[in-house]
Amino acid sequence: MQQQGTTGARRPLVVIRFDNPNVEYEQALYTALKGALDRKPDAVFDLVAIAPTKGGTGQNAVKSTTTKRHADQVLRSMSNMGLPGNRVTTSQTSSDTLGATEIQIYVR
């Protein structure tokens, strides 16, 4: 599991915040992925799902499950856009500073 701090100086290509029930991220994600692949056709991507940890243990378990569901949704979107699964690594971590699930995508 990758800790949020280990992303270091890397800047995410895309940050998707699931702060409401109907987050429309696919067009922005597609544009960002296309741009990255145009610049570096052999690029691979790291998808980091970050669960908020404000609240009690039970709430945090629900948030972790919700974060996994959102990560799977974004990964499915990336696949539907034609990106092979072997070009995406996934990890999940948590943060006590976030108010909602966040998916960060990095280029390698």
Side-chain angles (χ1 to χ4, degrees):
M1 182 181 302
Q2 182 174 0
Q3 296 300 311
Q4 187 177 13
T6 63
T7 59
R10 289 185 357 164
R11 260 185 100 194
L13 174 68
V14 177
V15 175
I16 304 167
R17 287 183 188 87
F18 286 90
D19 54 359
N20 69 62
N22 298 309
V23 176
E24 296 196 18
Y25 64 87
E26 287 189 322
Q27 185 60 51
L29 176 62
Y30 177 81
T31 301
L33 292 175
K34 183 178 180 329
L37 291 167
D38 285 348
R39 288 186 301 279
K40 186 178 178 185
D42 61 342
V44 293
F45 301 89
D46 296 324
L47 184 154
V48 181
I50 307 171
T53 57
K54 293 179 182 176
T57 304
Q59 288 176 328
N60 289 338
V62 170
K63 291 174 186 175
S64 180
T65 300
T66 301
T67 299
K68 171 85 169 91
R69 186 172 39 82
H70 288 309
D72 290 345
Q73 177 184 345
V74 172
L75 187 58
R76 199 168 29 258
S77 294
M78 294 170 79
S79 176
N80 290 342
M81 292 173 189
L83 190 65
N86 65 350
R87 294 183 64 180
V88 182
T89 62
T90 61
S91 62
Q92 185 170 336
T93 189
S94 59
S95 170
D96 59 3
T97 61
L98 294 180
T101 296
E102 195 169 278
I103 306 296
Q104 298 179 357
I105 300 183
Y106 297 86
V107 180
R108 276 191 285 137

